[in-house]
Amino acid sequence: MSLSSKLPQVGTTIFTTMSSMAKEAGAINLAQGFPGFSSDPELLDLVRSYTKAGYNQYAPMMGIPELRQKISEKTLLTQAYSPHPDTEVTVVSGATEALFAAIAAVVSLGDEVILLNPAYDSYAPAVILNGGVPVYAALRDKDYAVDWDEILSKVSPATRAIVVNTPHNPSGYVWTKEDVKQLADLVDRTGIYVISDEVYEHITFDDRNHISLGSHPGLRSHTFVCGSFGKTFHVTGWKIGYCIAPVSLMVEFRKIHQYLTFSTVSPMQYALASYLEDKEKYLSLPNFYQKKRDDFVEGLEKTPFKFQSAAGSFFQWVSYAHLSDMSDFELATRMTKELKVACIPFSVFYSDQRDLKRLRFCFAKEKQELDLAVERLCRIHEILV
Ligand code: PMP
Ligand code: GLN
């Protein structure tokens, strides 16, 4: 007897598939998005001291007060508003949980939720599992800028929410003030909710500023901001994230978080709260990653790929449409096995698997590893002939 699937379209994620393929082939893994270097020893020492000091039992459901306070202070410093640490900030087990709980809080049977194509893979399943219907609006093919006419054409009386992501995975697009204004106008007219995935909030380049959607007074009452310490402090394996939302939304969010995970790993919360005392730990991140992006992009100039430098996130996409008709999945597979460099085929981020002959590379790696990857990518013509 087979169990009927609630997610019949879903298989193993591309991140798992490409990481396993990379491991098997002995390839440099620029596929799954995780830092290839260790986090700050100071942070690791803090974890050690808190576990030794006995901070190993359940944390409070909404997160320890010290960490919620620090998240609020960080938001004030970087986004000029301060969510109340007791009622408007919740610590969760990764942004994935924040996104799921926020979607569950607002979506009921038959509700339409606008997702932007291409999108990170966890949004659609979360909508579907909560009885909602994903409605896709395409970002611009050329540069992944938000296409407001396209979004407006997808709004209907059944639209309940929109999921947005800035800086954007996989394209690196960073929302502009005009994008935020357009969304605020839409929310004002329709009252829809916004689930804002901002896990790359501290990774923007060329003097761009990340604008949190929670920072806009017109959006705040309708917005769940989802963040992740995994990206900010190079500890993706800790799975610690947070959600910021106004009280009326947070009450419902917490009811769901309470029964999804109840609470999040405690010694790491104490360690992060202490670590966040030093603002430079996150304020230095744009420069840290700018150097990596610049080095990687400089290397890519030597390859035949076409690209525009990423504006944010730690991903760089490239196009090979002018070089070959090979499917992006086949090329990514052959690159992993033959060139020993793994990447993600872009089509997996599209609901219709549209293949624009693009690939995504993660450049959150040591310089040596990126240099070696570029050296190998310079031999791409061996595969493309
Ligand atoms: N959103 C985006 C855009 C991501 O790239 C990721 C992957 N890290 C997540 C959410 C999930 O974050 P976390 O690992 O904190 O659950
Ligand atoms: N966010 C990471 C990426 O986009 C992967 C996270 C995961 O493996 N689920 O590569």
Side-chain angles (χ1 to χ4, degrees):
M1 218 174 68
S2 70
L3 182 65
S4 87
S5 176
K6 290 189 174 177
L7 296 171
Q9 316 298 342
V10 170
T12 307
T13 79
I14 191 68
F15 309 116
T16 306
T17 303
M18 293 313 295
S19 279
S20 317
M21 199 189 289
K23 196 163 176 210
E24 204 169 301
I28 297 175
N29 188 355
L30 305 188
Q32 192 177 21
F34 63 89
F37 36 82
S38 84
S39 52
D40 188 346
E42 194 183 320
L43 178 58
L44 305 181
D45 284 345
L46 282 165
V47 174
R48 216 165 288 129
S49 56
Y50 281 110
T51 46
K52 277 195 181 157
Y55 290 80
N56 298 306
Q57 306 308 329
Y58 290 130
M61 179 274 279
M62 65 281 271
I64 64 164
E66 294 86 341
L67 183 54
R68 284 184 278 114
Q69 177 67 36
K70 284 285 173 297
I71 293 168
S72 176
E73 286 168 15
K74 179 168 86 67
T75 309
L76 180 61
L77 184 68
T78 58
Q79 298 296 331
Y81 78 105
S82 61
H84 197 291
D86 292 340
T87 54
E88 297 183 318
V89 179
T90 301
V91 179
V92 293
S93 302
T96 311
E97 190 201 339
L99 290 159
F100 191 95
I103 289 169
V106 297
V107 175
S108 301
L109 193 62
D111 284 343
E112 292 182 0
V113 179
I114 297 179
L115 304 182
L116 305 183
N117 231 346
Y120 184 60
D121 68 344
S122 81
Y123 311 152
V127 170
I128 292 164
L129 287 172
N130 285 289
V133 181
V135 173
Y136 290 93
L139 296 171
R140 275 196 335 213
D141 278 351
K142 187 165 67 108
D143 53 5
Y144 296 102
V146 184
D147 181 340
W148 285 99
D149 290 337
E150 165 83 357
I151 291 181
L152 296 182
S153 75
K154 303 293 168 141
V155 176
S156 85
T159 308
R160 177 75 166 162
I162 180 168
V163 181
V164 304
N165 172 212
T166 177
H168 184 243
N169 177 7
S171 74
Y173 180 79
V174 174
W175 276 43
T176 62
K177 266 193 189 148
E178 181 56 25
D179 289 326
V180 177
K181 184 184 169 304
Q182 292 271 5
L183 183 62
D185 290 347
L186 175 63
V187 167
D188 186 43
R189 278 202 313 281
T190 58
I192 63 171
Y193 293 99
V194 180
I195 291 108
S196 185
D197 181 347
E198 302 183 11
V199 301
Y200 301 101
E201 63 187 315
H202 297 295
I203 313 181
T204 53
F205 308 123
D206 308 320
D207 296 323
R208 281 183 190 84
N209 283 323
H210 164 68
I211 309 173
S212 173
L213 300 196
S215 72
H216 190 288
L219 283 173
R220 196 170 306 151
S221 62
H222 280 67
T223 301
F224 297 85
V225 174
C226 303
S228 173
F229 288 112
K231 310 294 168 182
T232 304
F233 294 137
H234 322 314
V235 286
T236 56
W238 288 11
K239 294 296 290 186
I240 300 196
Y242 50 91
C243 180
I244 299 172
V247 184
S248 59
L249 303 189
M250 191 52 91
V251 166
E252 293 307 312
F253 178 95
R254 284 182 178 174
K255 288 183 193 170
I256 293 158
H257 159 67
Q258 182 159 259
Y259 296 115
L260 271 179
T261 55
F262 180 68
S263 67
T264 295
V265 58
S266 46
M268 272 73 168
Q269 289 196 49
Y270 286 98
L272 285 166
S274 299
Y275 192 69
L276 281 161
E277 292 282 341
D278 180 359
K279 301 169 184 56
E280 274 311 304
K281 301 291 188 198
Y282 53 88
L283 294 179
S284 60
L285 215 60
N287 282 344
F288 174 80
Y289 272 116
Q290 173 99 39
K291 175 101 185 65
K292 294 205 177 290
R293 189 214 60 175
D294 289 350
D295 285 347
F296 189 53
V297 156
E298 198 185 313
L300 285 177
E301 302 279 4
K302 295 181 224 147
T303 72
F305 292 126
K306 285 191 178 160
F307 59 89
Q308 299 154 20
S309 300
S313 83
F314 49 47
F315 301 112
Q316 176 66 51
W317 67 271
V318 302
S319 166
Y320 65 92
H322 56 298
L323 301 171
S324 168
D325 275 341
M326 197 185 296
S327 81
D328 62 355
F329 190 77
E330 188 187 346
L331 182 58
T333 303
R334 290 194 58 186
M335 281 168 62
T336 308
K337 293 185 176 168
E338 296 170 40
L339 282 190
K340 310 284 181 204
V341 180
C343 60
I344 302 284
F346 233 75
S347 56
V348 300
F349 297 107
Y350 284 97
S351 55
D352 58 2
Q353 272 80 54
R354 189 178 323 166
D355 182 1
L356 298 175
K357 316 291 174 205
R358 292 176 184 178
L359 305 167
R360 187 198 79 173
F361 294 99
C362 170
F363 55 78
K365 307 291 163 186
E366 296 284 12
K367 182 165 185 336
Q368 253 178 324
E369 202 175 17
L370 290 176
D371 287 349
L372 184 57
V374 164
E375 206 180 296
R376 294 178 182 177
L377 291 176
C378 285
R379 298 189 353 247
I380 189 75
H381 55 271
E382 291 172 17
I383 293 181
L384 290 176
V385 286

